[in-house]
């Protein structure tokens, strides 16, 4: 890059931050309520609109697994654990299954971690099949619908396809026994075999208390234009390159590693959360899956999420106006990121900041302990309530069978 171009980039950075600062783009921007139906949906109260029966399973399906590896409580897949805990004490819970609208099976299928903390989904299909066999043998409710009035939390990379590599997840497909159930999952991508119609897409788990301890003063200026920390290449799993993140992260690095507008690195500093609060834009590119905790972190810290993941289905999209609070960039347009972001007028940036400052927006992205009105737990319940009443086709005729219990890879049919 020639000296002239460096100088121009320096001027561009200064001009961008000056334009933003001239309209006082700070962390304490006034809030703006989401207009129209989206705001109303976000603030819905599910209590009184549905009743949920929680199956009591042997502890080997949940509590004992967690006791074996408490790291699962802080993993980005921990929503399955906290959803279980929430429902046990929730006012929507009923102890009478005859009056239930929905049935929940607490299975911790993601709590199997390597020493490095990476999830291993290979036992998950057998574990889930075992749990379904158990509830179908001991209660009559699964058999009358074959799961059409049941929901399962499956926060794996590719949901109930139970694999972290997309190609193999597509090959596996959704576990056959879950074909009629409602899936609550972090994975969401349009026209994808691992996202069935009617699924509820949720945010990944990010520890609320940890983020709260890293809040910085409201008046701190946002002096970083674009921020990202994470992998650009996954040499261990993708040695030839190009497959990981469909090449989008590699394109970010190759095009902007020397651009002063971009504060990007593979290093994860202790000031990571603080840095996000000093940034105007936070990159949220796909990795192995289209989603990541960065999306939650960006919203919580008021950093405008730049979503680079074609066809992504975002959490609670019927309640959160992602088009208004974020910036969407096609994967093929990554080389033009600098032009795209510097072309956004300051007044548009300001409005996105005001929307992000809305407490209800932040609350909807979190699974706090204890639960709070409007949080992610309640957004899941709102999603379930909006599906009621169940379609008449959900209930099978006596003796009618739809699901094939012997379908799927041979390894999945082995006892768990």
């Amino acid at each position: 890059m020639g000296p002239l171009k460096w100088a121009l980039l320096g001027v561009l950075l200064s001009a961008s931050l000056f334009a933003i600062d001239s309209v006082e783009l700070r962390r304490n921007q006034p809030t703006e309520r989401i207009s129209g139906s989206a705001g109303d949906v976000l603030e819905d109260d599910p209590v009184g609109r549905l009743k949920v029966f929680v199956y009591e399973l042997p502890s080997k399906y949940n509590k004992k697994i967690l006791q074996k590896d408490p790291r699962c409580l802080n993993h980005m897949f921990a929503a399955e654990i906290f959803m279980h805990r929430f429902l046990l004490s929730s006012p929507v819970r009923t102890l009478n299954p005859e009056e239930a609208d929905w049935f929940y099976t607490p299975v911790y299928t993601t709590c199997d971690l390597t020493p490095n903390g990476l999830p291993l989904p290979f036992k998950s299909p057998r574990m889930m099949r075992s749990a379904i066999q158990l509830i179908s043998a001991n209660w009559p409710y699964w058999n009358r619908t074959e799961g059409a009035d049941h929901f399962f939390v499956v926060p794996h990379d590719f949901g109930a396809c139970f694999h972290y590599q997309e190609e193999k997840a597509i090959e596996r497909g959704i576990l056959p026994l879950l074909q009629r159930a409602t899936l609550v999952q972090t994975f969401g991508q349009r026209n994808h075999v691992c996202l069935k119609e009617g699924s509820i897409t949720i945010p990944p788990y990010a520890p609320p208390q940890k983020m709260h301890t890293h809040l910085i003063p409201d008046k701190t200026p946002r002096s970083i234009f674009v921020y990202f920390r994470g992998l650009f290449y996954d040499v261990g799993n993708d040695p030839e390159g190009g497959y990981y993140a469909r090449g989008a992260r590699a394109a970010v690095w190759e095009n902007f590693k020397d651009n002063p507008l971009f504060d990007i690195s593979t290093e994860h500093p202790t000031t990571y959360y603080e840095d996000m609060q000093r940034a105007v834009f936070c990159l949220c590119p796909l990795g192995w899956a289209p989603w990541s905790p960065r999306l939650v972190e960006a919203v919580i810290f008021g950093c405008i999420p730049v979503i680079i993941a074609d066809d992504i289905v975002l959490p609670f999209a019927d309640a959160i106006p992602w088009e208004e609070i974020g910036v969407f960039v096609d994967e093929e347009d990554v080389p033009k990121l600098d032009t795209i972001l510097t072309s956004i007028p300051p007044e548009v940036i300001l409005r996105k900041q005001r929307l992000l400052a809305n407490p209800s927006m932040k609350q909807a992205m979190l699974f706090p302990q204890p639960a709070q009105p409007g949080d992610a737990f309640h957004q899941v319940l709102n999603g379930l309530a909006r599906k009621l009443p169940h379609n008449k086709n959900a209930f099978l005729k006596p003796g009618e069978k739809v699901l094939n219990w012997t379908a799927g890879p041979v390894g999945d049919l082995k006892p768990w």
Side-chain angles (χ1 to χ4, degrees):
M1 183 179 292
L4 179 60
K5 196 161 187 180
W6 270 111
L8 289 173
L9 282 171
V11 170
L12 181 59
L13 175 60
S14 300
S16 299
L17 295 178
F18 176 78
I20 294 166
D21 193 55
S22 68
V23 285
E24 296 184 353
L25 181 57
R26 312 255 179 196
R27 291 187 59 250
N28 60 338
Q29 283 298 310
T31 64
E32 181 172 330
R33 187 182 184 277
I34 307 160
S35 61
S37 61
D40 297 332
V41 170
L42 192 63
E43 296 167 9
D44 277 352
D45 184 358
V47 177
R49 298 168 57 210
L50 77 166
K51 293 183 178 181
V52 177
F53 179 76
V54 179
Y55 287 113
E56 293 188 20
L57 301 186
S59 60
K60 70 175 184 176
Y61 291 98
N62 39 63
K63 293 178 183 178
K64 282 190 176 179
I65 294 175
L66 180 58
Q67 289 171 358
K68 182 180 176 182
D69 197 340
R71 292 179 301 166
C72 298
L73 283 169
N74 296 307
H75 203 278
M76 60 183 174
F77 297 152
E80 64 182 359
I81 299 170
F82 290 112
M83 194 73 200
H84 181 203
R85 293 182 175 182
F86 163 72
L87 286 170
L88 290 176
S89 58
S90 170
V92 306
R93 184 189 181 189
T94 178
L95 300 179
N96 179 7
E98 293 295 334
E99 66 177 19
D101 301 297
W102 288 99
F103 295 81
Y104 167 67
T105 308
V107 187
Y108 300 170
T109 58
T110 66
C111 190
D112 184 12
L113 307 180
T114 67
N116 293 330
L118 300 175
L120 295 172
F122 309 117
K123 298 178 183 176
S124 301
R126 291 188 291 126
M127 184 180 181
M128 186 66 80
R129 280 180 55 88
S130 174
I132 294 173
Q133 287 170 338
L134 181 69
I135 62 173
S136 67
N138 290 278
W139 290 272
Y141 309 105
W142 172 273
N143 299 316
R144 69 184 185 182
T145 66
E146 288 199 323
D149 55 355
H150 288 55
F151 70 93
F152 295 81
V153 182
V154 283
H156 274 287
D157 287 308
F158 290 94
C161 287
F162 294 127
H163 207 286
Y164 61 87
Q165 290 184 337
E166 184 173 19
E167 186 176 301
K168 293 181 179 178
I170 291 172
E171 183 181 329
R172 288 187 53 83
I174 292 174
L175 188 72
L177 292 187
L178 294 177
Q179 291 291 346
R180 287 174 58 83
T182 290
L183 303 180
V184 178
Q185 59 186 63
T186 45
F187 173 75
Q189 183 173 319
R190 288 184 291 274
N191 305 314
H192 199 286
V193 299
C194 298
L195 180 68
K196 66 188 293 288
E197 185 178 356
S199 297
I200 297 174
T201 309
I202 62 172
Y205 177 78
Q209 294 84 357
K210 180 180 178 182
M211 289 191 289
H212 182 75
T213 61
H214 286 267
L215 291 175
I216 62 178
D218 284 341
K219 293 185 178 181
T220 305
R222 292 189 178 270
S223 56
I224 301 170
F225 194 63
V226 181
Y227 187 75
F228 175 79
R229 290 295 183 272
L231 290 177
F232 297 100
Y233 305 92
D234 188 344
V235 178
N237 293 299
D238 182 28
E240 296 180 5
Y243 186 67
Y244 176 62
R246 295 197 284 259
R249 292 197 187 198
V252 169
W253 179 250
E254 294 300 330
N255 286 277
F256 305 110
K257 59 186 176 183
D258 297 321
N259 189 322
L261 287 172
F262 285 68
D263 187 345
I264 59 176
S265 173
T266 57
E267 297 179 2
H268 203 288
T270 56
T271 58
Y272 173 69
Y273 284 154
E274 288 82 356
D275 292 343
M276 292 189 85
Q277 295 169 79
R278 297 187 182 98
V280 179
F281 296 104
C282 288
L283 301 185
C284 301
L286 74 163
W288 283 112
W291 59 269
S292 84
R294 289 178 190 82
L295 195 66
V296 178
E297 295 161 350
V299 171
I300 297 303
F301 293 130
C303 186
I304 298 170
V306 180
I307 299 160
I308 307 170
D310 294 353
D311 297 322
I312 189 173
V313 176
L314 290 160
F316 310 132
D318 54 352
I320 296 178
W322 291 104
E323 294 284 349
E324 295 184 53
I325 66 173
V327 175
F328 289 78
V329 176
D330 290 342
E331 294 165 27
E332 66 178 10
D333 290 335
V334 166
K336 298 183 286 186
L337 255 178
D338 53 350
T339 303
I340 292 169
L341 296 180
T342 55
S343 299
I344 300 174
E347 59 270 21
V348 174
I349 294 176
L350 276 172
R351 182 166 189 273
K352 291 180 184 295
Q353 289 259 340
R354 289 197 299 271
L355 287 170
L356 283 168
N358 189 321
S360 62
M361 189 84 68
K362 302 177 188 299
Q363 190 78 306
M365 298 296 286
L366 295 174
F367 296 91
Q369 305 295 309
Q372 304 291 329
D375 62 16
F377 298 117
H378 290 82
Q379 300 307 325
V380 171
L381 294 182
N382 282 335
L384 293 170
R386 287 193 284 273
K387 292 177 175 292
L388 297 175
H390 293 293
N391 191 296
K392 291 181 180 180
N393 295 333
F395 297 91
L396 304 178
K397 298 175 183 178
E400 183 182 3
K401 299 291 182 182
V402 176
L403 300 178
N404 182 354
W405 284 73
T406 61
V410 175
D412 290 358
L413 307 182
K414 297 178 180 178
W416 176 70

